[in-house]
């Protein structure tokens, strides 16, 4: 009897011990994950930016190839069309062009790639692309291309094999989980479904099911991506716009307690570090659609990152005729960026291909010109969305159209007589917008306003690269700030004032301090009175700089 009791007691103790060890294993696992996340944060904190010194500054021009210029007459824009319009781009004064996706894809937009080593057949041949690169170089224009590697198309050979053969090496090119995985019910950053069912398992697709996400915990995937990037750099592209840069390790895709934000920053640092060994002049700009705190660490990894919040603030200020807090917010943003890497290159813009166009949000020529003034006074690399310089309109469409109507054809001539017009989508929305042909002949056109701004910007180092400092003028409650460069041999101090209101603004600039007027958006604005919705930029004589920079 005693032996039976002893066996029962021993059995119970064993069960209790087993349960206790299970809880301990869970606690140990959670603790380990937290430690790993802390280690990742520490790695990002101590990350050596290790950028190779090169000059990437200038204005960039975003092109949706399908809509820009059609050289073969099929109604679809192509590489030859861009080649023929290269003189227009050079005359505009830009530093470089950003081509939206141009790899082979089953969709009109190209953000679901099926072949990373071939160009989209609608846009021409590889020879056409290479010719475009050569002509761009002749005109002194850099070319960066959209690199979409967060995900592939579901028609990509890698994914087809991944979903159909669990023993294939390509299975692990994507992230697959079973229904009992802790991540199964997790949602993405904007509460979207990110897990998609196929054949008894679920795969990650952060944006949509036909765009399955690559698994960057797989070293082979990383190498595949580096090989793709190397291939096009060898062809002659100058860099990349990195699509969905903050979602490579996506919220809800990685296990809980894993610091996906730090993993993203570290991956892009690894990506740039490898590529710049062979291509030291490479330029990378990231799409990190978030706030300054989230964006700032990426400046340790990428040369530039798009400034989404400044875009929103510029448009809101112009709409309201009031930019309250604008300069203080800029100081805050630059402080955050500067705390991570002092050589950061901001990438401000007004709108892009995923947003309603600026001309559909603002409603007068004066408003469009003021928004452009505000954009081009900012340091870094401003980005123009093709046709923005004309006032092209575009808004989100309904079911089945979505962003097509934000990516409408460029308008080269009023009667569509230019042989390079694209016609893949009927462009009724822009029938009353003056064309390139018309605007070039009008010195007061929006196009010539853009050309003038870019020219002035290119000629003044403080506009292009200068440091920013909010400035207060007595009696002036409008955005006022200083842009200054203390680079040896290129010292320059500029005072910038935007009158956002619909009323004249009285200002008081000591004429003795003024070296010259750099930019005046209105002929009747003076050093004492500014016209409504106008901008004034004056250069301060260096003898008086200490009265402004303290």
């Amino acid at each position: 009897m005693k032996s039976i009791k002893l066996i029962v007691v021993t059995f119970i103790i064993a069960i209790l011990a087993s349960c206790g060890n299970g809880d301990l294993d869970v606690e140990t696992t959670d603790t380990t994950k937290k430690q790993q996340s802390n280690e990742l944060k520490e790695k990002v904190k101590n990350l050596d930016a290790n950028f190779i010194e090169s000059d990437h500054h200038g204005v960039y021009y975003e092109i949706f190839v399908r809509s820009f210029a059609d050289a073969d007459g099929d109604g679809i824009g192509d590489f030859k069309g861009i080649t023929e319009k290269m003189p227009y781009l050079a005359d505009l004064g830009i530093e470089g062009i950003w081509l939206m996706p141009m790899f082979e894809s089953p969709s009109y937009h190209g953000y679901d790639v099926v072949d990373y080593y071939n160009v989209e057949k609608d846009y021409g041949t590889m020879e056409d692309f290479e010719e475009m690169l050569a002509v761009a170089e002749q005109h002194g224009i850099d070319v960066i291309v959209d690199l979409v590697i967060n995900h592939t198309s579901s028609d990509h050979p890698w994914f087809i094999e991944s979903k159909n053969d669990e023993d294939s090496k390509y299975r692990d090119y994507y992230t697959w989980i079973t229904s009992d995985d802790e991540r199964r019910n997790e949602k993405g950053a904007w509460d979207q479904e990110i897990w998609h069912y196929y054949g008894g398992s679920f795969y990650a697709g952060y944006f949509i099911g036909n765009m399955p996400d690559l698994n960057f915990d797989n070293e082979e995937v990383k190498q595949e991506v580096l090989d793709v990037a190397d291939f096009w750099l060898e062809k002659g592209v100058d860099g990349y716009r990195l699509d969905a840069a903050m979602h490579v390790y996506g919220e809800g895709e990685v296990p809980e307690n894993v610091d996906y934000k730090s993993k993203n920053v570290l991956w892009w640092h690894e990506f740039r570090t490898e590529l710049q060994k062979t291509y030291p002049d490479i330029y990378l700009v990231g799409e990190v659609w978030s706030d300054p705190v989230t964006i700032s660490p990426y400046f340790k990894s990428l040369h530039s990152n798009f400034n989404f919040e400044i875009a929103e603030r510029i448009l809101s200020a112009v709409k309201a005729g009031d930019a309250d807090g604008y300069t203080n917010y800029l100081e805050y943003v630059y402080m955050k960026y500067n705390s991570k890497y002092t050589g950061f290159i901001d990438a401000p813009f007004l709108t892009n291909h995923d947003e309603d166009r600026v001309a559909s949000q603002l409603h007068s020529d004066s408003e469009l010109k003021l928004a452009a003034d505000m954009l081009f006074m900012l340091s870094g690399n401003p980005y123009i969305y093709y046709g923005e310089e004309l006032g092209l309109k575009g808004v989100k469409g309904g079911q089945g159209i979505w962003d097509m109507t934000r990516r409408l054809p460029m308008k080269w001539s009023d009667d569509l007589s230019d042989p390079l017009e694209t016609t893949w989508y009927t462009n009724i929305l822009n029938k009353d917008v003056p064309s390139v042909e018309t605007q070039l002949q009008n010195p007061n056109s929006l196009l010539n306003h853009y050309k003038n701004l870019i020219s002035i910007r290119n000629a003044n180092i403080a506009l292009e690269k200068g440091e920013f400092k909010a400035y207060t003028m007595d009696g002036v409650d409008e955005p006022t700030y200083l842009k200054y460069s203390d680079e040896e041999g290129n010292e320059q101090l500029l005072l910038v004032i935007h009158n956002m209101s619909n009323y004249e603004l009285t200002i008081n600039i000591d004429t003795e301090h003024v070296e010259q007027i750099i930019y005046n958006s209105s002929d009747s604005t003076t050093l004492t009175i500014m016209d409504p919705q106008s901008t004034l930029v004056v250069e301060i004589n260096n003898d008086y700089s200490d009265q402004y920079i303290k």
Side-chain angles (χ1 to χ4, degrees):
M1 189 70 177
K2 286 181 180 180
S3 62
I4 293 175
K5 287 181 180 179
L6 181 60
I7 292 171
V8 170
V9 170
T10 303
F11 181 68
I12 292 172
I13 291 172
I15 292 175
L16 290 173
S18 174
C19 292
N21 286 337
D23 291 340
L24 184 60
D25 288 343
V26 171
E27 290 176 7
T28 301
T29 301
D30 287 343
T31 301
T32 301
K33 286 180 179 178
K34 288 177 182 177
Q35 287 175 343
Q36 290 172 343
S37 289
N38 289 335
E39 289 172 3
L40 289 172
K41 285 185 173 69
E42 196 65 21
K43 281 184 179 180
V44 170
K45 180 181 178 182
N46 297 322
L47 204 56
D48 178 8
N50 73 352
F51 287 99
I52 295 175
E53 189 68 29
S54 57
D55 188 4
H56 297 299
H57 285 82
V59 177
Y60 281 75
Y61 189 92
E62 177 188 2
I63 294 177
F64 182 40
V65 181
R66 186 172 297 271
S67 285
F68 193 65
D70 170 28
D72 64 7
D74 65 355
I76 296 173
D78 46 43
F79 301 128
K80 282 184 174 291
I82 296 174
T83 300
E84 292 197 34
K85 291 298 184 181
M86 205 65 74
Y88 167 80
L89 296 169
D91 186 54
L92 197 57
I94 60 170
E95 171 75 13
I97 57 176
W98 149 29
L99 299 185
M100 287 171 62
M102 36 66 68
F103 305 142
E104 187 64 42
S105 166
S107 68
Y108 88 95
H109 52 72
Y111 281 100
D112 49 343
V113 178
V114 294
D115 185 350
Y116 286 105
Y117 292 97
N118 274 308
V119 298
E120 169 56 50
K121 60 181 179 295
D122 286 348
Y123 297 165
T125 65
M126 185 69 80
E127 290 73 21
D128 296 338
F129 179 74
E130 291 169 346
E131 180 189 11
M132 184 205 69
L133 290 178
V135 173
E137 185 175 12
Q138 290 169 14
H139 284 84
I141 294 175
D142 288 346
V143 178
I144 64 173
V145 300
D146 228 316
L147 188 62
V148 186
I149 50 83
N150 172 74
H151 52 266
T152 68
S153 168
S154 55
D155 293 332
H156 195 291
W158 294 346
F159 186 71
I160 292 173
E161 188 162 342
S162 178
K163 71 179 184 179
N164 292 327
D165 184 357
E166 293 187 16
D167 296 324
S168 166
K169 77 166 190 173
Y170 293 107
R171 182 70 172 185
D172 197 38
Y173 270 41
Y174 301 84
T175 301
W176 292 88
I177 63 172
T178 55
S179 58
D180 59 351
D181 192 287
E182 63 177 7
R183 294 167 285 177
R184 168 64 191 94
N185 295 315
E186 291 292 327
K187 300 289 183 69
W190 50 93
D191 202 37
Q192 81 277 21
E193 295 289 341
I194 59 175
W195 296 104
H196 310 277
Y197 181 81
Y198 184 86
S201 299
F202 296 84
Y203 65 90
Y206 210 75
F207 290 91
I208 196 169
N210 64 2
M211 296 180 180
D213 289 5
L214 288 168
N215 173 19
F216 279 81
D217 281 329
N218 182 339
E219 291 299 321
E220 288 187 65
V221 168
K222 288 183 177 181
Q223 190 57 54
E224 292 272 17
V225 168
L226 286 167
D227 289 345
V228 168
D230 183 81
F231 176 82
W232 294 101
L233 290 168
E234 180 67 24
K235 287 283 183 187
V237 305
D238 296 285
Y240 297 104
R241 178 263 188 184
L242 302 169
D243 182 64
M246 66 183 291
H247 299 303
V248 168
Y249 296 95
E251 179 182 347
E253 284 186 343
V254 298
E256 191 177 3
N257 293 328
V258 172
D259 181 11
Y260 62 92
K261 293 181 180 180
S262 293
K263 284 171 75 74
N264 282 317
V265 173
L266 291 168
W267 153 245
W268 290 119
H269 184 274
E270 178 184 345
F271 177 81
R272 175 181 56 78
T273 300
E274 285 301 312
L275 292 178
Q276 73 182 15
K277 291 176 182 177
T278 307
Y279 307 98
D281 292 330
I282 189 175
Y283 171 60
L284 304 175
V285 56
E287 183 201 26
V288 183
W289 199 325
S290 192
D291 59 272
V293 174
T294 302
I295 293 172
S296 57
Y298 286 86
F299 281 107
K300 289 188 171 186
S301 302
L302 307 174
H303 303 91
S304 290
N305 292 281
F306 289 112
N307 197 327
F308 287 89
E309 290 205 357
I310 290 302
E312 294 171 10
R313 286 189 174 248
I314 289 175
L315 295 183
S316 295
V318 175
K319 290 174 189 176
D322 182 359
D324 184 45
Y326 176 72
T327 54
N328 289 336
Y329 185 75
L330 280 170
E331 276 199 321
Y332 162 76
V333 171
Y334 296 148
M335 177 193 69
K336 288 295 181 185
Y337 292 174
N338 197 63
S339 69
K340 302 303 180 183
Y341 178 59
T342 56
F344 74 89
I345 305 172
D346 196 17
F349 65 100
L350 295 178
T351 61
N352 65 21
H353 60 278
D354 287 325
E355 301 170 301
D356 289 353
R357 280 185 174 272
V358 59
S360 290
Q361 297 189 53
L362 305 179
H363 304 294
S364 71
D365 206 47
S366 59
E367 287 185 343
L368 291 173
K369 288 179 178 179
L370 180 57
D373 288 350
M374 297 179 75
L375 172 66
F376 288 112
M377 295 306 126
L378 299 177
S379 293
N381 294 348
Y383 279 73
I384 306 169
Y385 184 32
Y386 78 96
E388 178 185 303
E389 74 276 21
L390 305 181
L392 281 193
K393 298 176 182 178
V395 294
K396 186 173 184 177
Q399 183 72 35
I401 298 175
W402 303 122
D403 290 326
M404 284 186 185
T405 43
R406 289 167 163 168
R407 305 164 184 174
L408 295 170
M410 183 67 170
K411 192 168 183 181
W412 297 106
S413 57
D414 290 331
D415 60 0
L416 304 184
S417 61
D418 189 303
L420 297 183
E421 300 283 355
T422 64
T423 57
W424 72 276
Y425 198 99
T426 304
N427 195 0
I428 297 175
L429 191 60
N430 289 307
K431 62 184 177 63
D432 295 326
V433 174
S435 67
V436 170
E437 181 181 59
T438 298
Q439 293 202 35
L440 283 174
Q441 297 170 17
N442 176 5
N444 296 316
S445 68
L446 184 62
L447 171 55
N448 278 314
H449 187 78
Y450 266 71
K451 287 179 63 177
N452 185 40
L453 280 169
I454 295 171
S455 175
I456 290 169
R457 179 187 177 82
N458 291 344
N460 290 276
I461 191 170
L463 288 181
E464 187 176 67
K465 302 180 182 180
E467 293 191 47
F468 177 95
K469 182 177 176 61
Y471 185 72
T472 302
M473 290 183 68
D474 291 340
V476 176
D477 190 24
E478 294 291 340
T480 306
Y481 51 91
L482 301 169
K483 296 289 297 297
Y484 62 96
S485 167
D486 54 8
E487 184 179 305
E488 188 174 350
N490 286 306
E491 296 87 356
Q492 187 178 43
L493 172 61
L494 303 180
L495 173 63
V496 182
I497 308 171
H498 299 294
N499 182 11
M500 309 298 301
S501 74
N502 293 315
Y503 307 97
E504 287 187 342
L505 174 67
T506 300
I507 57 177
N508 184 20
I509 301 176
D510 192 330
T511 55
E512 189 177 345
H513 295 180
V514 176
E515 181 74 23
Q516 62 177 322
I517 295 176
I518 296 293
Y519 174 70
N520 187 349
S521 66
S522 172
D523 291 338
S524 52
T525 287
T526 68
L527 295 179
T528 56
I529 297 289
M530 288 183 65
D531 279 351
Q533 295 183 321
S534 66
T535 297
L536 178 65
V537 183
V538 298
E539 182 172 4
I540 303 299
N541 187 295
N542 288 334
D543 292 341
Y544 300 97
S545 61
D546 58 350
Q547 296 185 34
Y548 294 82
I549 305 293
K550 299 176 181 179

